[in-house]
Each structure stands twice: as C-alpha cells, then as structure tokens.
C-alpha cells in the first residue's frame, strides 16, 4: 500500500481522490462494490479513465479498504496510487485516511468509485468553477426528478449551507430536488484544518464527508455548488437495479458513438458491446450480438446474430455467420466463420480461410485460404496455406498428461473423418484418405491410408433375406 507525500509545486497542484473503500451493503454481494462491472469493466476502472484525463496517474489516489488487495490488483495497471482506509467509517473518514497523501496539494477533487458515468469534461469544469468561486468546498449537484436516496443540497443564497442525507432529512428537505452527486473539489488547507470536526451522530454512526459543508460554513469558509447540465453522469450504483440501469445507459451511448463513426448496428438495444470495443467503418452488427472485452473489429465486416466475441482481433472483410463463439482469437482479412464455430484462445485464422459448422479450434494457426468447414476439432496445430480439412477431422492432441502438436503442411488434403494422433506431421501436398487413423508422419506428396481394408461379400444381404 503506497501513500506518498508530494512536494508543493510552483502552480496550483491538484490531486484526485477516488473513494473506493466501502463494502456496498445494498448490492448484497460478497464482492466489493467498485469491482462490479458495467459496460464490461469494473465501476472503479471507468472512474479512473475519466480521472486520468484530468491529472497524471501519480496524482490519483484510490482509497481502498474492503477487499483492498482485490481492488488494488484489478486497477493497478492504470498507474494510480493507493491509500488504505481501515476500518471504513464513512466518506469523511475516507478523506481523513488520505490526509497524509493529499495535504501538500493545493486542491483535491473527490470522486466516488461507484459512479462510473462521470466525464473528464465535467470534472475539469467543477475544478475551474471551484477556483473561480474561491471556495473551500465545491459540490457537484444535480436537479433530479426523483431525488430519493441522495443527499439534498440546502442553499443559502447562491452558496451552500449544508448537505442533508436522506435518512436524516425532514419531510420539507426531502422535497428538495437538488442533490449531492458525491463529487467535490476541496481546497486542502481548510479541508484538513477542519476535517477533525466531523462527528458520527447520524443514523449510520459514520463520518460523513457531506457534513464538511456545514463544518466549513461554521469556520466562515465558502461552500459552493455547481449544478450539472448532465444529471445522468452522476448516477451511483448502490443497488443491482441502479447497476444494470447504468450498464444499459453506457452501452446505449457506446452504440451511438460507434454508429456515428460509421458502424451499422441493427436493433442496438439487443446487442451487448463493452466500452473498450473498437469497430471500423462499414461493418455491420446484426441483432443479439455480444462484443466483449478488448475486441477489435476492422472495416467491412459483418457479424451475424447470436455471435459472442470476446477479447478477439478481427481484421477487415470478415464474415462471422450466426452463432459463433470467439475468445482470444485472431482473424485475418476475408476469413469466413460459422455458423456455429467455436474459436478458443490462441486460434489464428489466416486470410480468406474458412472455419465452418460445428468446428472447434484452440491454439492453432490455420493458413491462407485453408478450409475446415464441418464438424472438426483442431487443437495445438499448425496448418499451412491452401489445406483442406475434411468433415469430422480430429486432432488427437492430448494423451491424458501432455498436449502434442499436429503439423499439416501447405496444400495437404485431409479426407473426412480422419483422426490425426499427435505428435504427427502431414507433409506438403500429401493426401490422407477418409476415415484414416494417422499415427505416423506422412511424407510430402504421398497418400496415407490408415483404415481397415474394405471387404465386400456379394449377395450376402439377399441370402440373409431369403433365409428369413
Ligand atoms: C453519498 C453521499 C450522498 C450522495 C451520494 C451520491 C455521503 C455521506 N453521502 O451517499 O450525499 O448523494 O453519495 O452518490 O457521502 N466509501 C469509502 N469509505 C467509506 C464509505 C464509503 O471509501 O468508509 C466509498 C464507497 O466505496 C463509495 C463512495 O465512498 O464508492 C460513496 O459511498 P456510498 O456508501 O455509496 O455513499 P452513498 O450512500 O451513495
Ligand atoms: Mg453511492
């Protein structure tokens, strides 16, 4: 757990603190709230993406507590810093715990790890507003039709007198529709000079960061609120219903963004497209497609219905017919997949190659224009260019202990129902007869037959019938 003290620089130095230590009781989950996913990524990871557009990652402090190691592990590749809050005694206490890391900054922007729709534009605007107002605390507020559950902003003139949590509010206060988003900017000096004045005399027995509004007012400091023009950006995910609502909003936005970049998505509400997915122009996505993780799809592709593609790279002009499942696969230009192909991790499909009905591949390279069109398993195999793999071919790659490799060189022809017992090599241009069980290497340009010789008993059937 790293918490570093920073030098005071010549200009105004800004840190971002992201509160992510809470348990998330209302989700009724054994996993920490901020690791629940929307748009295919942890809530906290979305907040970090926005924060990184405003300050450098070394000035971002994620406050962790509940399942701290798990949370830290999930987002540490982003280069942010971590501060431990142990135990977790409320949002005010989260900032008390972060004081040693933040005290030498001029201001700190505080974000909530459970509100992933916030944008860098709004964060920057809030920071500028705070500086303009010369406030000690600036709250991002929003006017909501249904403010239930949120803290309410009590105004005094154009400034803020206090924030009241729903549970502690009077019926009159509950009618206020201007709510606290949970995003703030604080000038660190008044914040840390006064934070010890927070009390826990509230229904949760916690230190509420929201109470800093009243505390700072009492200390004759200015507390401002900037009302956002985009209330949907502040939505928090405290319950499963809120979580899926945010997920839907995020994916809808993603589809709109892709469409404006030239991608056709039919019935977008039926598609599940994660926020990091990239798709080139003139690609068409049919209804009920899922594109997950860091999948990248080029231009002029067509992804037909019911395909689920995860962490895969697809080049241009690729046709994925209905019902394909791809995971960590790489597909070159002009390839055709499906219907119902299953490409497992490490499948590399060459230019113009075909992988067809009920074909499963794993850790293979299928060369240019090679075809495996029907009912085949190819695992741990190197298949050259222009190879034809007949229906029902199986690479027997596993002996119960180890995995072995099958090599099929350029131009080879594997007849239907062949069983290739690895390790084995089929030479360039060789033929394997249908229904052969191949246990030894086949030299180039030869024919291998590995099946029982056919016996024909003429008239046998007729005689049997007559006897009956
Ligand atoms: C908070 C605000 C509320 C506001 C709402 C907006 C308080 C007391 N209330 O309520 O006014 O309308 O956000 O979404 O702040 N956390 C910690 N340490 C803790 C407790 C919480 O890091 O000890 C983190 C949580 O992981 C979460 C964030 O702080 O990411 C906010 O906590 P949460 O419990 O969700 O607060 P709300 O009830 O939503
Ligand atoms: Mg919340």
């Amino acid at each position: 757990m790293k918490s570093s003290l920073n030098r005071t620089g010549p200009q105004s130095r800004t840190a971002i603190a992201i509160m992510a230590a809470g348990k998330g009781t209302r989700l009724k989950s054994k996993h920490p709230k901020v690791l629940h996913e929307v748009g295919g990524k942890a809530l906290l990871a979305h907040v970090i993406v926005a924060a990184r557009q405003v300050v450098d990652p070394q000035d971002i402090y994620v406050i962790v507590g509940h399942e701290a190691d798990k949370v830290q592990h999930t987002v540490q590749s982003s280069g942010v810093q971590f501060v431990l809050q142990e135990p977790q005694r409320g949002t005010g206490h989260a900032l008390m715990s972060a004081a040693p890391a933040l005290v030498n900054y001029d201001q700190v922007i505080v974000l909530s790890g459970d509100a992933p729709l916030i944008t860098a534009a709004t964060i920057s605007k809030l920071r500028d507003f705070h500086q303009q107002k010369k406030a000690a605390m600036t709250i991002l507020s929003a006017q909501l039709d249904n403010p239930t559950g949120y803290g309410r902003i009590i105004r005094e003139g154009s400034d803020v007198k206090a924030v009241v949590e729903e549970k502690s509010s009077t019926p009159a206060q509950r009618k206020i529709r201007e709510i606290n988003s949970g995003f703030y900017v604080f000038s660190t000096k008044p914040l840390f000079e006064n934070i010890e004045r927070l009390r826990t005399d509230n229904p949760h027995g916690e230190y509420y960061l929201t109470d800093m509004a009243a505390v700072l007012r009492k200390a004759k400091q200015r507390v401002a609120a900037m009302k956002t023009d985009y209330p949907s950006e502040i939505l928090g995910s405290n319950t499963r219903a809120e979580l899926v609502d945010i997920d839907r909003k995020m994916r809808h936005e993603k589809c709109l963004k892709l469409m404006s970049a030239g991608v056709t998505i039919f019935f977008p509400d039926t598609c599940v497209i994660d926020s990091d997915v990239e798709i080139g122009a003139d690609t068409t996505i049919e209804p009920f497609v899922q594109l997950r993780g860091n999948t990248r799809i080029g231009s002029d592709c067509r992804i037909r219905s019911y395909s689920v593609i995860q962490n895969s790279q697809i080049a241009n002009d690729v046709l994925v017919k209905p019902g394909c499942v791809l995971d960590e696969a790489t597909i070159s230009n002009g390839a055709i997949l499906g219907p119902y192909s299953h490409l497992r991790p490490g499948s590399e499909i060459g230019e113009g190659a075909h992988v067809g009905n009920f074909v499963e591949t794993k850790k293979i390279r299928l060369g240019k224009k090679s075809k495996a069109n029907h009912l085949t398993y190819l695992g741990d195999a190197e298949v050259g260019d222009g190879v034809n793999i007949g229906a029902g071919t199986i690479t027997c790659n596993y002996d119960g202990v180890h995995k072995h490799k099958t090599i099929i060189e350029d131009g080879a022809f594997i007849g239907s129902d062949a069983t290739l017992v690895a390790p084995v090599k089929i030479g360039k241009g060789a033929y394997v007869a249908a229904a052969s069980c191949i246990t030894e290497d086949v030299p180039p340009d030869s024919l291998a037959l590995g099946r029982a010789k056919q016996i024909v008993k003429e008239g046998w059937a007729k005689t049997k019938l007559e006897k009956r």
Side-chain angles (χ1 to χ4, degrees):
M1 221 37 74
K2 190 173 171 188
S3 77
S4 64
L5 283 173
N6 284 271
R7 298 152 287 115
T8 311
Q11 317 107 325
S12 156
R13 284 177 38 79
T14 305
I16 291 184
I18 304 175
M19 298 183 293
K23 183 167 186 286
T25 314
R26 287 162 283 181
L27 282 179
K28 302 198 167 54
S29 170
K30 56 184 172 301
H31 308 294
K33 167 157 72 172
V34 295
L35 294 190
H36 280 263
E37 291 189 353
V38 290
K41 206 156 69 177
L43 291 166
L44 176 59
H46 289 283
V47 181
I48 292 175
V49 168
R52 284 189 55 167
Q53 292 169 55
V54 181
V55 301
D56 291 334
Q58 68 268 19
D59 296 321
I60 298 173
Y61 296 85
V62 178
I63 304 169
V64 291
H66 178 69
E67 299 247 32
D69 290 343
K70 217 166 162 184
V71 175
Q72 184 168 349
H73 178 78
T74 305
V75 298
Q76 72 186 354
S77 62
S78 61
V80 298
Q81 316 251 27
F82 297 92
V83 169
L84 185 63
Q85 182 200 2
E86 190 60 68
Q88 297 87 46
R89 303 190 60 196
T91 46
H93 181 249
L95 265 283
M96 290 177 193
S97 310
L102 300 172
V103 74
N104 285 332
Y105 287 90
D106 295 319
Q107 55 191 3
V108 56
I109 301 168
V110 178
L111 307 178
S112 249
D114 69 338
L117 294 169
I118 191 67
T119 60
T122 299
I123 299 170
S124 306
K125 207 169 156 194
L126 185 67
R127 178 198 53 201
D128 297 346
F129 186 90
H130 175 80
Q131 287 171 347
Q132 253 170 38
K133 291 280 171 191
K134 296 193 167 47
M137 173 184 188
T138 300
I139 302 168
L140 182 71
S141 72
Q143 191 78 17
L144 297 189
D145 292 339
N146 177 11
T148 312
Y150 289 94
R152 309 297 206 282
I153 306 287
I154 315 292
R155 291 269 185 177
E156 188 177 55
S158 66
D159 286 354
V160 175
K161 191 164 123 191
V163 177
V164 190
E165 289 306 298
E166 165 124 345
K167 276 201 176 151
S168 317
S169 60
T170 63
Q173 287 168 336
R174 274 197 285 279
K175 289 205 178 101
I176 297 172
R177 293 196 297 122
E178 187 181 13
I179 61 97
N180 167 31
S181 70
F183 300 112
Y184 320 85
V185 183
F186 289 96
S187 298
T188 50
K189 194 165 177 283
L191 170 67
F192 293 121
E193 277 173 6
N194 292 287
I195 200 164
E196 298 300 332
R197 298 187 187 187
L198 290 178
R199 294 288 167 263
T200 56
D201 50 353
N202 55 55
H204 286 121
E206 290 186 344
Y207 294 103
Y208 288 167
L209 188 57
T210 44
D211 287 346
M212 279 311 293
V215 165
L216 286 167
R217 276 304 304 247
K218 247 185 222 152
K220 304 269 179 290
Q221 297 282 342
R222 182 164 203 194
V223 180
M226 183 186 95
K227 207 187 275 184
T228 178
D229 297 329
Y230 308 104
S232 62
E233 279 185 20
I234 61 99
L235 296 176
S237 22
N238 299 304
T239 63
R240 300 276 175 170
E242 287 172 354
L243 194 78
V244 295
D245 185 42
I246 288 177
D247 181 73
R248 195 179 58 238
K249 283 193 167 70
M250 199 175 262
R251 293 184 192 281
H252 182 71
E253 284 296 312
K254 176 74 184 178
C255 283
L256 291 177
K257 221 164 149 185
L258 288 167
M259 288 193 266
S260 69
V263 179
T264 298
I265 306 173
F266 288 114
F267 290 89
D269 287 348
T270 67
C271 294
V272 175
I273 303 181
D274 283 357
S275 49
D276 290 343
V277 169
E278 292 173 23
I279 308 178
D282 288 321
T283 282
T284 298
I285 310 293
E286 292 192 357
F288 297 100
V289 163
Q290 293 196 25
L291 304 174
R292 317 297 302 255
N294 60 11
T295 292
R296 278 207 313 261
I297 299 176
S299 335
D300 301 297
C301 295
R302 189 170 191 102
I303 313 296
R304 305 209 47 202
S305 294
Y306 309 111
S307 290
V308 179
I309 301 176
Q310 175 162 302
N311 297 327
S312 293
Q313 317 299 313
I314 296 180
N316 305 319
D317 288 305
V318 171
L319 171 61
V320 179
K321 294 182 186 173
C324 290
V325 176
L326 276 68
D327 187 11
E328 291 177 38
T330 308
I331 318 297
S332 304
N333 291 338
I336 299 177
L337 311 180
Y340 310 111
S341 306
H342 183 188
L343 279 69
R344 293 167 48 206
S347 297
E348 287 177 35
I349 308 304
E351 237 177 275
H354 293 188
V355 177
N357 306 257
F358 304 107
V359 173
E360 175 182 349
T361 65
K362 185 220 70 173
K363 222 172 163 192
I364 66 144
R365 197 185 67 81
L366 186 67
K368 261 190 200 168
K369 297 204 164 148
S370 289
K371 292 178 184 164
N373 270 334
H374 329 268
L375 303 158
T376 284
Y377 173 62
L378 296 173
D380 301 291
E382 280 282 335
V383 181
D385 298 343
V387 169
N388 188 80
I389 309 265
T393 296
I394 307 283
T395 53
C396 307
N397 59 331
Y398 187 45
D399 61 12
V401 182
H402 299 108
K403 299 278 164 72
H404 301 282
K405 197 160 182 177
T406 301
I407 296 174
I408 304 173
E409 293 185 338
D410 294 351
F413 182 98
I414 313 296
S416 293
D417 195 27
T419 316
L420 309 175
V421 182
V424 74
K425 181 170 169 179
I426 314 297
K428 202 168 166 183
Y431 270 63
V432 168
S436 291
C437 177
I438 301 296
T439 53
E440 282 164 35
D441 288 356
V442 178
D445 300 316
S446 50
L447 167 68
L449 282 137
R451 64 188 186 214
K453 202 166 162 39
Q454 182 172 321
I455 298 167
V456 176
K457 296 186 177 175
E458 274 183 41
W460 181 90
K462 202 173 167 213
T463 319
K464 186 181 157 102
L465 207 68
E466 281 164 5
K467 271 189 196 157
R468 247 210 268 155

